[in-house]
Amino acid sequence: MCPSSISASHREGVFALLSAFTTCPGLFYPTPAQDGILSRLRIPGGILNSQQCQFIASIADNYGGGYVDVTNRANIQIREIKQEINLEVLQGLQALGLGAADPNIDHIRNIMTSPTAGIDPQELIDTRPLVKDWDNYITTHPHFSGLSAKFSVCFDGGGNISLSDRPNDITFVAHLINGSIYFLLYLSFGEKGEPPRNTGIFCKPDECISFLAALAEVYLQYINQVSSRKPRLRQIITQIGLESYLQQVQQHFNFSFFVKHDIPQKTKHDNLYHLGIYPQSQPGLFYIGVVLPLGRLESWQIRGLANLVTKYGDSNIRLTPWQNLLITNIPQKHVPEVKKEITALGLTIKTNNIKSALVACSGKQGCAASATDTKSHALALAEYLEKRMILDYPISIHFTGCVKSCAKHDPSDITLVGVSLENENHQLIESYHVYIGEDHSQKFGFQLYQYVTFPQLLKLIENILKTYQIKRLSPKESFKEFANRYLSGFKEISFGDSPAA
């Protein structure tokens, strides 16, 4: 269905879609939330142009809460929608390339790639064409609407800013083998929460889309396509076995791949360092990573950024899965001016800012499952810490209102899980379980404290961070490295008054 085909004659069908709420929101599949209706704009590769930004800002003002949230898949969410979005607005989004041409595939998860694709001096291959080709493929093959809403694909070009450890069903990671570029296939299977696994299978870049189509087609053979709740690809592979799954892929589709297991492990980079100012692969040009507090942008900030990138850059903004954004193709002579304008928009580019690695789910204001007001608490913590200390190394702090951890799936340095605590008057008080470091037997790491109320939490986090700065082996020792050294006896370190046992 192309944009022009959503006419008055199709109004009833489209609004039937709008009323058919799902757990995975989309432009045509909005979802009820505590604060109104939630709609998601799927942004393949996370790249927006200035015209799209201006249009999104208008929708946020006219229909939502006057802001947007960037998600951990580089999508955009518009929240607090109180009225039905006008059909002409939906057509306008489609005309700008922001709505799927076929609303039936709009629910499928966003296609991920590095936000520095095409500009990273260290990357092996620009993956943006692959993102576009796969998006076009699923759009032009209507039966792919049967894919699970959580069917997720990622292309990693082998550069400095890597997404290979992100939770996706299918990931292709670029490698250089004997002077030629190949993509290594990772698949998610096994228990829920396990990281994607290296299959040892390589294919050429021009075979990726055919390979992906084959992987998806075999998945479709094992599901009930009319069911509203489809199993994940991980579940299908676990059920039939990886070897059987890959044999069927190879039998039904005529292309070749090879297996090679002796591939050196790539150096893991700290992806928080996409923030700040960096030279691009294009001589004389720079990209600038901008911190978005909790991934949120007010509509006036969106318009300001759109004007900024039109004036100084390539008219594009790149969203990141760390809920920040990049401004690209800035000539070196304009970098100081761009920094000033970013500051004037109330934003920062500093990696050591508390907010640079601060993540929070929507919290109880937006989600009935949340036990705590995570976003308000996260911002209050940032304000508290900014007045009392300066970080010299980014520390990731994650507020999640429940154990589902929707906003961030990979472990953080510090994870705060919202729980309700009943006081002596049988009133429910917002509190948190506090986790640090890495404990492979636990989802969030090593549990340090339980049922810490928010007033107690402020001083506790300050004490933890100051203890880290005083007792680390060197300024280069990360918080997670420091915490892991004390996993067996961390409480021997004094954090001041312990708020809970």
Side-chain angles (χ1 to χ4, degrees):
M1 183 183 292
C2 64
S4 60
S5 67
I6 300 187
S7 59
S9 62
H10 292 88
R11 181 183 295 267
E12 182 177 345
V14 171
F15 288 143
L17 284 173
L18 289 172
S19 62
F21 295 122
T22 72
T23 56
C24 293
L27 176 60
F28 302 101
Y29 301 83
T31 299
Q34 293 292 98
D35 54 0
I37 301 301
L38 163 64
S39 189
R40 180 207 66 190
L41 295 178
R42 182 172 170 272
I43 318 291
I47 299 179
L48 289 168
N49 63 44
S50 57
Q51 187 179 9
Q52 292 170 330
C53 290
Q54 298 283 7
F55 202 90
I56 290 169
S58 296
I59 295 175
D61 280 339
N62 295 330
Y63 294 93
Y67 63 88
V68 301
D69 287 339
V70 178
T71 76
N72 60 9
R73 296 195 66 84
N75 290 311
I76 278 183
Q77 290 183 353
I78 301 175
R79 304 190 68 95
E80 299 187 44
I81 298 174
K82 300 297 192 295
Q83 58 177 314
E84 196 170 62
I85 296 179
N86 187 284
L87 181 60
E88 286 69 30
V89 173
L90 299 181
Q91 290 177 320
L93 284 168
Q94 286 185 309
L96 289 173
L98 282 172
D102 181 356
N104 292 309
I105 64 99
D106 181 67
H107 66 291
I108 299 174
R109 278 191 166 172
N110 198 22
I111 306 164
M112 298 184 72
T113 195
S114 172
T116 55
I119 61 173
D120 185 343
Q122 296 187 35
E123 72 179 356
L124 298 174
I125 185 171
D126 182 358
T127 52
R128 290 175 297 174
L130 289 170
V131 171
K132 184 176 180 180
D133 288 347
W134 180 238
D135 191 50
N136 289 339
Y137 193 96
I138 61 176
T139 300
T140 55
H141 291 75
H143 69 290
F144 273 28
S145 63
L147 292 171
S148 163
K150 296 182 178 181
F151 193 89
S152 52
V153 173
C154 177
F155 298 97
D156 189 308
N160 188 46
I161 306 298
S162 174
L163 297 186
S164 60
D165 60 345
R166 307 298 291 183
N168 284 285
D169 288 341
I170 302 170
T171 302
F172 286 96
V173 181
H175 284 262
L176 189 64
I177 300 176
N178 298 327
S180 298
I181 296 170
Y182 293 90
F183 277 100
L184 173 60
L185 172 67
Y186 285 74
L187 291 173
S188 290
F189 59 97
E191 295 298 319
K192 183 178 180 181
E194 289 188 27
R197 300 191 194 183
N198 178 353
T199 65
I201 294 174
F202 286 84
C203 70
K204 295 178 181 178
D206 59 4
E207 293 175 332
C208 274
I209 301 305
S210 297
F211 200 173
L212 260 175
L215 293 164
E217 293 283 6
V218 173
Y219 164 78
L220 288 172
Q221 293 176 11
Y222 280 89
I223 68 168
N224 178 358
Q225 295 193 28
V226 299
S227 172
S228 60
R229 301 186 73 86
K230 299 180 176 67
R232 295 289 300 270
L233 176 63
R234 167 182 56 80
Q235 295 169 292
I236 296 297
I237 297 176
T238 303
Q239 175 186 339
I240 67 176
L242 177 63
E243 185 176 352
S244 174
Y245 175 67
L246 292 174
Q247 283 177 349
Q248 292 177 63
V249 169
Q250 194 168 25
Q251 288 170 0
H252 289 281
F253 302 93
N254 185 27
F255 59 89
S256 61
F257 51 78
F258 68 90
V259 179
K260 184 177 177 65
H261 290 290
D262 57 337
I263 299 297
Q265 187 73 23
K266 288 194 171 185
T267 302
K268 188 173 182 181
H269 300 285
D270 191 334
N271 289 322
L272 288 175
Y273 284 103
H274 67 279
L275 300 172
I277 303 169
Y278 299 91
Q280 297 181 187
S281 54
Q282 297 79 12
L285 296 180
F286 289 76
Y287 71 86
I288 301 177
V290 181
V291 177
L292 304 184
L294 302 182
R296 180 158 293 182
L297 273 174
E298 303 291 335
S299 57
W300 67 272
Q301 292 174 313
I302 303 172
R303 293 189 178 93
L305 288 167
N307 293 334
L308 188 157
V309 297
T310 300
K311 182 178 179 181
Y312 297 106
D314 58 0
S315 295
N316 287 325
I317 288 171
R318 301 190 183 200
L319 309 177
T320 82
W322 303 284
Q323 297 172 272
N324 297 311
L325 63 82
L326 306 185
I327 296 171
T328 55
N329 290 309
I330 305 296
Q332 185 172 11
K333 65 180 180 180
H334 292 314
V335 167
E337 300 163 76
V338 172
K339 286 177 59 180
K340 290 179 181 178
E341 294 205 21
I342 289 171
T343 301
L345 289 171
L347 302 171
T348 182
I349 65 172
K350 295 179 179 179
T351 59
N352 62 351
N353 187 284
I354 292 288
K355 299 187 183 79
S356 68
L358 184 64
V359 176
C361 67
S362 60
K364 67 191 304 181
Q365 292 187 22
C367 177
S370 179
T372 55
D373 188 1
T374 55
K375 284 197 178 292
S376 295
H377 289 167
L379 290 174
L381 175 66
E383 183 178 351
Y384 176 89
L385 293 176
E386 285 171 344
K387 294 177 180 178
R388 290 165 173 81
M389 63 186 307
I390 297 176
L391 294 180
D392 53 5
Y393 188 93
I395 296 177
S396 58
I397 302 175
H398 175 204
F399 280 80
T400 178
C402 71
V403 296
K404 290 189 290 185
S405 189
C406 296
K408 192 175 188 293
H409 300 297
D410 53 319
S412 294
D413 293 328
I414 301 173
T415 301
L416 309 168
V417 181
V419 288
S420 294
L421 172 65
E422 186 175 331
N423 65 11
E424 62 275 8
N425 297 321
H426 304 292
Q427 297 172 319
L428 292 180
I429 300 174
E430 294 178 307
S431 63
Y432 290 91
H433 293 340
V434 180
Y435 298 81
I436 61 170
E438 289 180 311
D439 180 352
H440 297 297
S441 66
Q442 301 293 328
K443 178 178 180 180
F444 298 114
F446 179 80
Q447 189 177 79
L448 191 63
Y449 295 109
Q450 293 182 324
Y451 299 107
V452 181
T453 65
F454 183 67
Q456 295 171 327
L457 188 70
L458 296 173
K459 185 64 176 177
L460 173 64
I461 299 300
E462 178 190 2
N463 289 343
I464 289 174
L465 295 182
K466 286 184 175 179
T467 300
Y468 156 66
Q469 290 183 330
I470 294 170
K471 294 185 175 290
R472 60 189 172 181
L473 295 178
S474 74
K476 292 184 178 181
E477 184 179 35
S478 70
F479 179 87
K480 192 164 290 185
E481 291 169 336
F482 166 74
N484 289 344
R485 287 197 291 113
Y486 288 88
L487 280 179
S488 61
F490 208 114
K491 292 181 186 178
E492 294 175 8
I493 298 177
S494 174
F495 292 126
D497 295 333
S498 299

